[in-house]
Amino acid sequence: MATPITSYDYRVAYTPPTPTLVDHPLQRGRDGEYLNNNRALLPEEQTVLRQLLESRRRQAVQLDAMLAEASQARNTLEEPYQDLKGHYESMRCSYLVAQDYIENIRQARDSMQPAIERLRSLLHPIRRYPQDILSLIFVAAVESNNSQDSYDTTEPKTLYPPRHRRRNTALDISQVCRAWRALAHATPEMWSTVRICLRKSASAAPWLKLFTGNAKAVPMKVIVTHLQPAYFNRRTSVDSDDEEKSTPLLASVQRLHSLEIHYSHFRALSYLSRLANNAKLEELNELTIQNDPGMLPTIPEFDLSTPLRHTINLKKLTLVYVCLGLSLHDASVVLPSVTHLIIHTSFVPDSNCLVLPHYLAMFPFVQELVYFQNETAIPESVVLMEMPHLRLIKTNFAGLSTIVACFSAGRILSPDLHTIRLTTEGQNPSSDLSTFFEANPSIRCLEMPGDFCPTLTASTPNLFHHSSLHTLSLWKASLGCIQLLTMSDGDTGQALVLPNLRILRITCSRSTTNVLTDQVFESLYRNRCEVTTEGQLTNIGAKPLSQLWFMTHEALQAGVRATIERRMAYVPHHRGGRLLAYRWPHKPAEDNPFDSNLC
């Protein structure tokens, strides 16, 4: 009877010794001289050969013994080996049978999946939703899809036309079933945004008609891409040079709320009147015109002030890479209704183009100005004007020079201006901001990158000497900027920078997080938050902060983190564990300025 597999320890293996042959002096050196000839051997050579022969016989006997031992070990392993081999073949067959069985069960399970899905869809709660709730879900899905096609024009990034080839969510929802189609057609809000590509002239008008018919009287946002003269240049006949007179493309829109135009042809804007008539422009609240950044720097023969004079209800105007000629500009056009102005200048400067002062003269009641300059041209002269409602300016480093030139020396009066946001990284804007603050003492809030190392003395004018600044927000802050906020003037004992600062938000860069020490943070906390026993000021003679927000990366050293958490409260952040956010003093969790603007 074969030994069961469990009774044999198959982990034990026989390892025979390796035979070793001892070299003899006769085999080395001049062996051919003694062995490869027919002469009679000398007596001493015969003695050496007899010794060698005796050595070889002993080695042969040793090998015979090793051979017998190895044969015995092989015979001992033969029975367990055959037993294991039989078990392996049996288990392999059982494994293959089980594999086939599993595959058959899987196929049966997969064949049942469609029926399960059908039954599950019949029992899905969405079938029992009231139509008003379901319509809200449809509208939210459409708005989410539309937001993916939009670009933030308030950031200085390269902008491109929206991806008009994306599938339309409203159309997809309406094609699910008859009930959803009827509900979708009865929900005008789903069809309030339409994207039209004029490069496909055959499908533009029917596509617009579908949306305008379903949108009914809901205010619509129309995005027109590839605006080009070829769409409108249709001749009345083959032999005639007269263009066919047709109704404006957007004539079927009942209420035009927002219009976004993307073009790349230098004569495209001349056909703006072929899109919408004056009556439609009067209803317009938002207008965006964006040029292709790769377009040749050709000034179009177009006057934007002519169509703008009809937009009496316009609230927001966005011009991206649009170069408008100065010769056709009508300086008498003024739109007091515009409150938000966003301008991205072209990449090639031209003295014959409209510049920032011309736009400000057209919109004197702007409340928020976003100005990103992509070239280095600065206006030579600015006419004295007032902007009584301007309260926020956002710009980059190149645009800051133009802003300073316009708003300094009493050229533009803006008594309500209180917030400046600077987006350029890696450059020191201290000098320009200092000049700007001197001309505009109403500024209370500054948001800017802090990835520069400022050099500051008590006698050198600098933005950090601005005593009226109430709120400061620094992101990607360098160690030098943090240390600067803790310094005092050795001569007067007063704070060297921002003595009246009340709210401070600091977001450290990765490099700053790696080199940040607990001494630097303690100095910041004591000199900006703790009040001395003598009075109401801190150690450096500054007013104590009412709020301090501090954010670092997750690579913060354990000792520094313990020091910060001893002084401040940890704030859960929406970015998860990659960033560590802290606040002082302790406030409710909903008061988190890292997720919103401080100013």
Side-chain angles (χ1 to χ4, degrees):
M1 182 176 180
T3 305
I5 188 171
T6 56
S7 63
Y8 174 72
D9 188 3
Y10 52 83
R11 293 173 299 176
V12 178
Y14 174 73
T15 305
T18 302
T20 303
L21 299 180
V22 179
D23 293 338
H24 195 274
L26 189 61
Q27 292 180 303
R28 302 188 303 267
R30 302 168 59 188
D31 52 350
E33 182 180 352
Y34 297 99
L35 300 178
N36 298 332
N37 56 69
N38 295 325
R39 66 179 179 82
L41 299 178
L42 299 177
E44 57 272 14
E45 292 177 345
Q46 294 179 8
T47 302
V48 171
L49 289 178
R50 289 190 183 93
Q51 294 176 356
L52 178 60
L53 178 61
E54 186 64 24
S55 175
R56 288 291 183 265
R57 288 176 177 174
R58 289 196 299 271
Q59 291 180 1
V61 172
Q62 181 182 2
L63 292 177
D64 290 340
M66 295 172 61
L67 178 62
E69 182 181 358
S71 299
Q72 183 179 1
R74 184 198 60 182
N75 296 334
T76 304
L77 295 174
E78 181 69 23
E79 184 177 357
Y81 167 74
Q82 295 297 334
D83 192 10
L84 287 173
K85 183 178 180 181
H87 279 284
Y88 167 75
E89 295 295 339
S90 176
M91 294 178 67
R92 183 174 180 273
C93 293
S94 300
Y95 173 78
L96 294 178
V97 172
Q99 196 76 356
D100 294 339
Y101 181 67
I102 292 174
E103 187 64 26
N104 294 333
I105 295 177
R106 182 179 290 109
Q107 293 178 0
R109 174 66 175 83
D110 295 340
S111 64
M112 294 176 61
Q113 190 64 26
I116 293 175
E117 294 297 333
R118 287 194 296 269
L119 293 174
R120 182 181 298 173
S121 63
L122 293 175
L123 297 175
H124 198 280
I126 198 171
R127 290 179 173 269
R128 303 189 296 272
Y129 283 178
Q131 289 194 351
D132 55 345
I133 301 298
L134 197 58
S135 62
L136 293 177
I137 296 176
F138 290 170
V139 173
V142 172
E143 291 178 352
S144 176
N145 180 76
N146 293 336
S147 64
Q148 295 179 10
D149 285 346
S150 62
Y151 296 87
D152 188 6
T153 55
T154 62
E155 295 296 332
K157 298 179 180 179
T158 303
L159 307 174
Y160 298 97
R163 297 178 293 274
H164 58 278
R165 295 184 180 181
R166 179 187 294 274
R167 294 182 60 88
N168 189 274
T169 305
L171 197 61
D172 290 343
I173 291 176
S174 64
Q175 295 176 353
V176 173
C177 60
R178 285 178 293 180
W180 281 24
R181 184 181 303 110
L183 181 59
H185 290 172
T187 308
E189 293 80 7
M190 291 179 55
W191 311 89
S192 61
T193 301
V194 57
R195 297 182 297 273
I196 307 173
C197 179
L198 298 188
R199 187 170 55 184
K200 303 177 180 179
S201 57
S203 61
W207 185 260
L208 179 62
K209 184 178 179 181
L210 171 65
F211 277 78
T212 55
N214 293 326
K216 301 180 177 62
V218 173
M220 291 192 64
K221 176 181 180 180
V222 181
I223 303 175
V224 180
T225 61
H226 300 285
L227 177 64
Q228 51 189 342
Y231 179 81
F232 303 97
N233 291 340
R234 300 174 183 176
R235 306 301 177 184
T236 56
S237 64
V238 178
D239 300 330
S240 175
D241 293 335
D242 298 332
E243 294 185 2
E244 180 182 354
K245 302 298 182 181
S246 59
T247 58
L249 180 63
L250 304 182
S252 59
V253 181
Q254 297 187 27
R255 296 180 60 188
L256 183 59
H257 169 74
S258 176
L259 178 60
E260 185 174 331
I261 301 173
H262 299 260
Y263 71 98
S264 57
H265 196 281
F266 74 99
R267 294 179 56 237
L269 292 181
S270 302
Y271 292 84
L272 187 60
S273 60
R274 305 286 293 272
L275 291 178
N277 52 24
N278 297 338
K280 295 299 177 184
L281 294 179
E282 292 178 358
E283 303 172 356
L284 198 62
N285 293 123
E286 297 181 4
L287 176 60
T288 300
I289 303 178
Q290 178 174 328
N291 187 13
D292 185 0
M295 177 182 173
L296 294 177
T298 303
I299 301 178
E301 297 179 358
F302 174 73
D303 178 22
L304 183 62
S305 58
T306 301
L308 285 182
R309 70 172 68 247
H310 302 288
T311 58
I312 58 178
N313 295 314
L314 189 64
K315 303 295 182 183
K316 180 179 179 180
L317 176 63
T318 303
L319 301 176
V320 182
Y321 309 141
V322 177
C323 183
L324 300 176
L326 184 59
S327 58
L328 300 177
H329 175 64
D330 187 359
S332 63
V333 176
V334 177
L335 276 76
S337 61
V338 176
T339 59
H340 293 73
L341 179 61
I342 301 175
I343 298 176
H344 293 250
T345 65
S346 60
F347 289 94
V348 180
D350 196 316
S351 58
N352 297 322
C353 291
L354 294 184
V355 290
L356 180 61
H358 300 104
Y359 293 112
L360 297 181
M362 293 176 62
F363 314 107
F365 297 101
V366 166
Q367 298 179 8
E368 296 186 7
L369 171 63
V370 178
Y371 179 74
F372 294 122
Q373 186 168 306
N374 300 306
E375 30 82 12
T376 57
I378 300 177
E380 297 180 358
S381 61
V382 179
V383 180
L384 178 64
M385 68 180 73
E386 293 185 4
M387 302 189 70
H389 302 308
L390 183 62
R391 53 186 176 83
L392 183 145
I393 295 179
K394 185 174 183 179
T395 184
N396 57 356
F397 187 80
L400 181 61
S401 301
T402 302
I403 295 292
V404 172
C406 293
F407 286 82
S408 300
R411 297 184 179 94
I412 298 180
L413 303 179
S414 51
D416 290 341
L417 180 61
H418 63 81
T419 301
I420 298 295
R421 293 176 184 165
L422 193 62
T423 60
T424 304
E425 301 176 2
Q427 301 182 27
N428 188 351
S430 302
S431 179
D432 289 337
L433 285 177
S434 176
T435 305
F436 186 67
F437 287 164
E438 291 179 0
N440 299 270
S442 60
I443 297 176
R444 295 291 182 270
C445 179
L446 173 63
E447 298 182 16
M448 59 178 291
D451 54 348
F452 61 93
C453 294
T455 56
L456 183 66
T457 61
S459 59
T460 304
N462 197 285
L463 80 95
F464 291 101
H465 284 137
H466 188 56
S467 59
S468 302
L469 199 63
H470 178 272
T471 302
L472 176 63
S473 177
L474 297 174
W475 66 88
K476 294 187 178 180
S478 64
L479 192 63
C481 281
I482 298 177
Q483 292 175 337
L484 185 65
L485 295 172
T486 66
M487 296 181 180
S488 62
D489 187 359
D491 298 332
T492 63
Q494 299 296 319
L496 187 59
V497 297
L498 306 178
N500 298 318
L501 189 65
R502 300 293 290 169
I503 300 177
L504 176 61
R505 177 175 67 174
I506 297 177
T507 302
C508 298
S509 62
R510 288 187 177 273
S511 58
T512 303
T513 302
N514 295 331
V515 299
L516 184 65
T517 61
D518 51 356
Q519 292 84 359
V520 174
F521 175 77
E522 278 290 338
S523 178
L524 174 67
Y525 180 83
R526 291 175 180 175
N527 294 335
R528 284 294 176 178
C529 299
E530 287 186 347
V531 180
T532 59
T533 57
E534 290 88 8
Q536 300 297 322
L537 302 178
T538 63
N539 294 330
I540 59 174
K543 290 184 178 180
L545 295 176
S546 60
Q547 296 180 23
L548 173 61
W549 306 85
F550 201 79
M551 177 182 288
T552 67
H553 288 270
E554 60 182 352
L556 187 64
Q557 300 178 16
V560 181
R561 180 172 182 176
T563 302
I564 296 176
E565 292 180 351
R566 187 169 62 252
R567 299 290 191 180
M568 307 178 69
Y570 174 75
V571 179
H573 194 254
H574 68 281
R575 297 184 184 178
R578 296 193 310 168
L579 295 175
L580 304 176
Y582 302 93
R583 64 170 176 263
W584 177 91
H586 293 200
K587 286 190 174 293
E590 60 268 18
D591 296 339
N592 188 357
F594 294 113
D595 298 325
S596 61
N597 293 320
L598 271 176
C599 305

